[in-house]
Amino acid sequence: MSISKRIFLYSLGIVSIVALFILLYFTWMLSPLYAREVEQQRITSIKKLQSAQLTEIDTQINDALHAFETPNSIISMELPKQNATINVHTFYNNFEITIVDQDLRQWYKDIVALMKNLDKLKQKEVDNEFQTIGKRLEHLIDTKGVQQDFPSDLFTFKELSEPIDISKLFSTADQPKFYRNGDKQFIMAVKAGDKTNLYTTYMGIATTDDKYYLVLAAVLTPKLTALSSVITQSLPMLLSTLIIVILLATIIFTKVLVRPIQMISRKMSLMKTGNYEFDAISSKKQAQLKQKLDEYDQLEVDLHALYRELDRQKNYLQEQNSRQKTFLAASSHQLKTPVTASLLLLDGMIEEIGKYKDTHKYLPVVKAKMLDMQLIINQLLLLNQQTSGDIELQTVRVATIINSLLDRHHILIEEKQLKIEMDVEEYKSIVTDVLYFEKVLDNLIINAIHYTPNMERILITSSENQLQIENTGTQLDEAYAEKIFEPFVRPAQARAGHGLGLYIVAQYAALLAMEIRIVNNKENNSVIATLLLNKE
């Protein structure tokens, strides 16, 4: 399965799960959360009304009543602890009730006593107390003659059926909840309902030293069955919309996500077939890509750098392979000459032809040819062994090594009466391999000594990133200068050697990430050998 298909399926599955949770939230959790929020708003409104009651300012109490959800279903009462004069605030008006009858006043005192311990009673105890008080009130109304018929000239009133037992019609939904608002204020919420609706009755009580403040409110508790029904009916449309949105979002997301991968894949294919056109990424663009913190861009930069490194290594290996072929061909040619000459001399001595009968004279010549071949072979073995070794980096002082090499060759320098002028910082240091670096400098110095005429000068100078050795009184042959670093190539004025010195030194310099350049300086009639300490 392709990456695009897998990403599409994964994205589709994840978004579908999220959509399912959203639907479940709307279907089962939205209604309870809404009901809880409504109840919390009602409790907050009653707390504000209690705070207004404590001020005993009618305007603040009336404002708090009007701010309630259903202001016509809430009542505020001020109940004195010592007398029976009750102040009542409703949505419609404010009035005062004074209880005169002694029995009713005693019933009022029992109500006040119940309110004092109401928040400490259990549900069953609260129900029993209110039933007892309610029955006492009914008995008082009956005995006092307050309940009576109301004859009228316009109509008559009589009951046509038995009164309904309200205790059987309504049932308490759950335990009452108490909400405290400080030490002397609390709110009790009781839910009761019939077969159709659920009602919540709130009773808030606040107390001072001489008064109780009572808030009574009864409201319909939202069941939100209609909301659930609407959501259920809307499910087909919601599902259809979600599916379309999910498909479109997933397709777009898949294309956006897969496009960089496809582009990188195409570049990799071009790299594999060798048709990739190398386009170097500027340092400015690389900095911009790093600031984006985009993994795809970073991957592209890394692949670009990898390809550039592989391309560099490929070119280096091709160059090395070409040099190796040239080197082997030149080595074969250099070895062929002394071998052929030696064989001819040996054949002449064996056959005792002419002057070659004198073996004492020509055997040393054969030996010299053999030693010449041995020297070439040893140099080849040394080159192969050392250029394949490990580099051991350490800090070295350039001036110290140069002075040591000049001391090593001081006899030849004095013999040719050469003047050495050195301008190298005493404490100039570089990090490199001491063995290879010393061999490079030694070869350049000894070449300068050999090819400098008597009584001329050798100038050794340094700058931040390079070291120069200039020997005066000589010039390189232009034809030789073009192939000076090729093996077995010697200048016309050379009297000894096999032309491997500069070739070997160039290999050592490459191992140290350095570079050697040798050019003529026609103005000073000199040759300048420059060693770049950090090849760029």
Side-chain angles (χ1 to χ4, degrees):
M1 185 183 295
S2 64
I3 294 179
S4 59
K5 290 184 179 179
R6 278 188 288 179
I7 292 176
F8 176 80
L9 292 177
Y10 294 158
S11 304
L12 184 63
I14 293 172
V15 178
S16 299
I17 292 173
V18 174
L20 179 61
F21 274 109
I22 293 174
L23 290 176
L24 291 176
Y25 170 80
F26 276 106
T27 305
W28 281 288
M29 295 184 64
L30 185 61
S31 298
L33 289 175
Y34 176 74
R36 185 182 303 172
E37 178 64 21
V38 170
E39 182 174 357
Q40 188 61 41
Q41 291 178 1
R42 292 170 177 171
I43 294 295
T44 302
S45 297
I46 294 176
K47 288 181 179 180
K48 291 181 179 179
L49 178 55
Q50 286 183 318
S51 299
Q53 284 178 323
L54 295 176
T55 65
E56 297 188 357
I57 300 175
D58 291 343
T59 54
Q60 293 189 14
I61 297 174
N62 291 332
D63 290 341
L65 286 171
H66 285 73
F68 192 70
E69 177 186 351
T70 52
N72 58 344
S73 65
I74 186 171
I75 184 173
S76 169
M77 302 176 68
E78 180 184 311
L79 308 178
K81 295 180 179 180
Q82 302 301 327
N83 58 61
T85 301
I86 303 172
N87 290 324
V88 181
H89 292 76
T90 67
F91 174 74
Y92 303 103
N93 62 344
N94 304 333
F95 55 90
E96 182 182 277
I97 300 175
T98 301
I99 302 176
V100 179
D101 184 82
Q102 293 299 320
D103 293 329
L104 287 175
R105 290 173 71 92
Q106 184 59 45
W107 174 84
Y108 170 76
K109 290 180 180 180
D110 294 340
I111 288 288
V112 171
L114 176 61
M115 290 172 58
K116 183 177 181 180
N117 300 314
L118 186 61
D119 60 333
K120 300 178 183 179
L121 300 177
K122 296 181 179 180
Q123 171 64 32
K124 189 174 182 180
E125 294 173 339
V126 172
D127 292 341
N128 292 335
E129 290 292 338
F130 274 105
Q131 287 180 5
T132 301
I133 290 175
K135 290 180 180 178
R136 284 180 59 194
L137 180 60
E138 290 178 2
H139 176 72
L140 289 172
I141 291 174
D142 290 339
T143 57
K144 298 295 180 179
V146 177
Q147 183 178 357
Q148 57 183 309
D149 294 333
F150 295 92
S152 172
D153 296 336
L154 299 177
F155 61 89
T156 60
F157 173 82
K158 69 175 181 178
E159 295 178 352
L160 300 177
S161 63
E162 292 293 330
I164 298 175
D165 188 353
I166 296 179
S167 63
K168 294 181 179 179
L169 179 63
F170 291 92
S171 60
T172 303
D174 51 17
Q175 295 290 330
K177 294 181 180 179
F178 290 89
Y179 304 90
R180 287 203 167 274
N181 187 21
D183 295 336
K184 296 184 178 182
Q185 293 176 245
F186 72 91
I187 300 170
M188 183 179 69
V190 180
K191 293 183 179 180
D194 53 20
K195 296 180 180 180
T196 305
N197 297 310
L198 183 65
Y199 304 91
T200 302
T201 300
Y202 298 96
M203 183 170 64
I205 299 176
T207 180
T208 60
D209 294 337
D210 59 345
K211 294 180 182 178
Y212 284 108
Y213 298 92
L214 182 65
V215 177
L216 295 176
V219 291
L220 181 66
T221 303
K223 285 187 175 181
L224 301 182
T225 54
L227 180 60
S228 301
S229 176
V230 170
I231 294 175
T232 303
Q233 293 175 9
S234 303
L235 281 179
M237 182 186 68
L238 290 174
L239 287 174
S240 302
T241 305
L242 280 174
I243 290 173
I244 294 173
V245 172
I246 289 170
L247 289 175
L248 290 176
T250 306
I251 292 172
I252 295 173
F253 172 73
T254 303
K255 287 185 177 180
V256 171
L257 190 63
V258 173
R259 187 181 294 113
I261 299 177
Q262 292 175 339
M263 181 181 65
I264 294 173
S265 177
R266 286 194 295 269
K267 288 185 177 182
M268 293 292 290
S269 299
L270 292 174
M271 291 179 185
K272 183 173 63 176
T273 58
N275 296 324
Y276 179 69
E277 295 182 1
F278 180 75
D279 182 18
I281 299 178
S282 64
S283 57
K284 182 178 180 181
K285 184 176 181 182
Q286 289 185 15
Q288 291 175 350
L289 291 176
K290 288 182 180 179
Q291 290 178 357
K292 290 181 181 178
L293 299 177
D294 190 325
E295 288 79 2
Y296 291 120
D297 291 332
Q298 185 62 44
L299 178 60
E300 182 181 358
V301 171
D302 293 342
L303 287 174
H304 203 88
L306 176 62
Y307 178 79
R308 183 170 56 186
E309 177 63 21
L310 291 176
D311 187 67
R312 186 191 66 79
Q313 292 183 6
K314 182 194 74 172
N315 293 334
Y316 173 76
L317 291 175
Q318 288 178 344
E319 181 182 354
Q320 291 296 104
N321 186 50
S322 176
R323 287 183 178 181
Q324 190 177 47
K325 289 181 179 179
T326 304
F327 180 77
L328 290 175
S331 300
S332 300
H333 177 74
Q334 290 292 323
L335 290 172
K336 180 180 179 181
T337 300
V339 168
T340 302
S342 299
L343 288 175
L344 288 174
L345 288 172
L346 289 173
D347 287 341
M349 287 185 287
I350 291 172
E351 298 295 334
E352 296 183 350
I353 300 173
K355 60 181 180 179
Y356 297 112
K357 292 180 181 181
D358 190 357
T359 57
H360 293 287
K361 179 181 179 180
Y362 289 101
L363 277 177
V365 177
V366 175
K367 182 180 180 181
K369 296 292 183 184
M370 293 299 175
L371 291 174
D372 198 21
M373 286 187 291
Q374 184 183 37
L375 180 60
I376 295 174
I377 292 171
N378 287 339
Q379 287 180 331
L380 295 177
L381 292 175
L382 180 63
L383 175 65
N384 179 70
Q385 178 182 0
Q386 292 186 342
T387 55
S388 61
D390 295 331
I391 301 296
E392 296 182 2
L393 299 178
Q394 56 183 298
T395 302
V396 297
R397 289 186 180 178
V398 177
T400 302
I401 294 179
I402 293 176
N403 288 326
S404 174
L405 294 174
L406 291 175
D407 290 340
R408 186 184 302 174
H409 303 296
H410 76 278
I411 295 177
L412 185 56
I413 293 172
E414 292 175 357
E415 181 182 335
K416 299 185 70 173
Q417 298 181 1
L418 301 177
K419 184 178 181 181
I420 307 297
E421 297 180 7
M422 185 168 135
D423 184 15
V424 178
E425 295 180 14
E426 183 179 356
Y427 298 102
K428 180 178 178 61
S429 301
I430 62 171
V431 178
T432 186
D433 185 285
V434 178
L435 178 62
Y436 290 143
F437 184 64
E438 186 176 326
K439 288 182 179 297
V440 170
L441 287 183
D442 184 54
N443 187 275
L444 294 178
I445 290 174
I446 194 63
N447 277 350
I449 295 172
H450 279 311
Y451 293 105
T452 301
N454 294 345
M455 303 182 70
E456 288 290 342
R457 296 182 305 156
I458 297 178
L459 310 175
I460 304 175
T461 59
S462 68
S463 61
E464 181 179 357
N465 194 38
Q466 66 181 20
L467 185 70
Q468 283 190 344
I469 300 175
E470 181 179 3
N471 54 309
T472 62
T474 186
Q475 290 275 286
L476 287 174
D477 187 349
E478 295 296 337
Y480 169 69
E482 295 178 359
K483 47 185 178 181
I484 190 171
F485 295 110
E486 294 182 8
F488 304 108
V489 175
R490 292 180 296 172
Q493 64 267 39
R495 295 185 297 273
H498 302 91
L500 286 174
L502 287 176
Y503 174 78
I504 294 174
V505 167
Q507 299 299 312
Y508 290 163
L511 286 175
L512 300 177
M514 299 180 183
E515 184 179 357
I516 301 174
R517 297 173 183 175
I518 300 178
V519 296
N520 286 322
N521 184 354
K522 295 183 179 180
E523 294 181 2
N524 295 338
N525 187 31
S526 62
V527 177
I528 300 176
T530 302
L531 177 62
L532 301 178
L533 301 178
N534 289 302
K535 181 175 65 175
E536 296 180 356

